[in-house]
Amino acid sequence: MVNLRITSMPTLTLLFMILTCTLVLIIPEVSATRYIVGGSNGWNSNGKVNYTDWAKEHKFYLDDWLFFVYDRNQNNVLEVNKTNYDLCNADHPVHNWTTGAGRDVVPLNVTRPYYFISGNGFCYGGMKLALFVSKPPPPPTSSPSKNGSPLESGCRIVTRAAFALAAVWALIFQVW
Ligand SMILES: *[C@@H]1O[C@H](CO)[C@@H](O)[C@H](O)[C@H]1NC(C)=O
Ligand SMILES: *[C@@H]1O[C@H](CO)[C@@H](O)[C@H](O)[C@H]1NC(C)=O
Ligand SMILES: *[C@@H]1O[C@H](CO)[C@@H](O)[C@H](O)[C@H]1NC(C)=O
Ligand SMILES: *[C@@H]1O[C@H](CO)[C@@H](O)[C@H](O)[C@H]1NC(C)=O
């Protein structure tokens, strides 16, 4: 009985720590944003969205996503270089993101400029999107600093809380 109590308390503490710290570590990935290009109008040739202006309204960070929603019978999603973006030249796409469903997801997984156009001449009507993907403002989780990382201090607080909880739990257990 006594043995069980003593061994189960550290086990519980460890469980708390693992669970909470896993959650803390997950948060930066969850905060990646998925943008529907053009908002409620989507990727559309009706001229309601100026995609240059739309891009200016947002700040794109590494590991965000673009979601192109469009009429698959008319439009597509071609990633091009700057020259072909300016010229609306769809003949040499860097990447053809078109899957055929009219719903294409593009991961913004490199910090660089991205250029997208729709083929079939719709680029000339304004279906062109240029944006820059930058590093997210908080320091990335991959920098294991000694003391300062908000993630680490957060995890430390959480660990303390877990210990406190476990202590309270042990107390209740004892009283009971
Ligand atoms: C874009 O690609 C074309 C070939 O399709 C090439 O002629 C042009 O120099 C490239 N522009 C840039 C900025 O890389
Ligand atoms: C892009 O890919 C789609 C689907 O595979 C294909 O139907 C289309 O012809 C391609 N377009 C270009 C310009 O390569
Ligand atoms: C970015 O995503 C594309 C498409 O999924 C993939 O081909 C490429 O390898 C990825 N690049 C990096 C740096 O992860
Ligand atoms: C979109 O707006 C910009 C100014 O923000 C303008 O220079 C550009 O010509 C507009 N594009 C279209 C297709 O109307």
Side-chain angles (χ1 to χ4, degrees), residues 136-153:
T141 56
S142 57
S143 68
S145 60
K146 321 104 216 161
N147 230 356
S149 149
L151 188 76
E152 279 174 356
S153 55

Side-chain angles (χ1 to χ4, degrees), residues 36-155:
I36 297 173
V37 175
S40 57
N41 284 296
W43 185 229
N44 204 311
S45 60
N46 64 12
K48 282 187 182 164
V49 184
N50 179 323
Y51 293 96
T52 306
D53 290 343
W54 179 82
K56 269 189 212 152
E57 286 165 20
H58 304 283
K59 195 97 183 70
F60 301 94
Y61 294 119
L62 193 62
D63 293 331
D64 283 347
W65 303 75
L66 292 183
F67 188 32
F68 289 86
V69 179
Y70 59 96
D71 179 355
R72 62 183 177 146
N73 296 316
Q74 289 193 35
N75 309 123
N76 54 21
V77 180
L78 303 173
E79 188 180 343
V80 295
N81 69 13
K82 179 155 194 334
T83 310
N84 291 326
Y85 169 85
D86 290 337
L87 296 171
C88 278
N89 182 350
D91 294 338
H92 310 283
V94 175
H95 201 307
N96 178 2
W97 292 100
T98 316
T99 56
R103 270 154 175 68
D104 299 323
V105 171
V106 177
L108 303 174
N109 59 1
V110 184
T111 52
R112 61 169 171 88
Y114 283 77
Y115 303 96
F116 301 95
I117 64 173
S118 176
N120 308 325
F122 288 105
C123 174
Y124 297 104
M127 286 184 76
K128 57 196 299 188
L129 169 67
L131 57 87
F132 187 82
V133 173
S134 49
K135 268 193 185 162
T141 56
S142 57
S143 68
S145 60
K146 321 104 216 161
N147 230 356
S149 149
L151 188 76
E152 279 174 356
S153 55
C155 223

